[in-house]
Amino acid sequence: MAARSPLRLLAPIAIVVVLVGVVVVVVGSSDGGSGDKGSARTATAPAKKVPRKRTYRVKEGDTLTAISDKTGVSTARLIALNPGLDPQALQLGDRLKLRP
């Protein structure tokens, strides 16, 4: 009886690799159902909110992060504009500067 070659184990591995490659190509090239295959998708950054008001009055349940999200001013900027501000002790009715 002739000795079997260890290369015989590579055939099943090669088949799996090819199948995985096909799945990756098919899934990666799907365009989400749009009929236009030639258009390139471009990601646009969301527009920054520019605070219209100069101050914000703290409402019940507000946190510094929530105020930042509502106004578009970063938490670091809020802290810099409002020296002595304790983010853990916001009081109802406090006025926070949004712009210098």
Side-chain angles (χ1 to χ4, degrees):
M1 187 173 207
R4 291 186 174 179
S5 169
L7 295 177
R8 67 184 164 77
L9 298 175
L10 290 179
I13 294 172
I15 291 171
V16 170
V17 168
V18 168
L19 288 175
V20 168
V22 168
V23 169
V24 167
V25 168
V26 169
V27 171
S29 68
S30 71
D31 62 328
S34 71
D36 188 9
K37 302 276 187 210
S39 67
R41 291 186 181 177
T42 57
T44 56
K48 276 189 169 181
K49 294 180 186 176
V50 177
R52 287 182 240 155
K53 297 181 179 178
R54 294 185 82 79
T55 62
Y56 177 85
R57 187 174 294 242
V58 176
K59 298 176 183 81
E60 187 173 347
D62 273 346
T63 62
L64 201 59
T65 304
I67 295 168
S68 173
D69 292 342
K70 289 177 189 177
T71 62
V73 179
S74 70
T75 54
R77 181 98 170 126
L78 286 171
I79 292 170
L81 289 170
N82 299 281
L85 175 68
D86 182 4
Q88 301 299 319
L90 292 175
Q91 298 292 318
L92 187 66
D94 281 351
R95 285 190 176 265
L96 302 179
K97 286 184 187 177
L98 301 177
R99 297 189 281 167

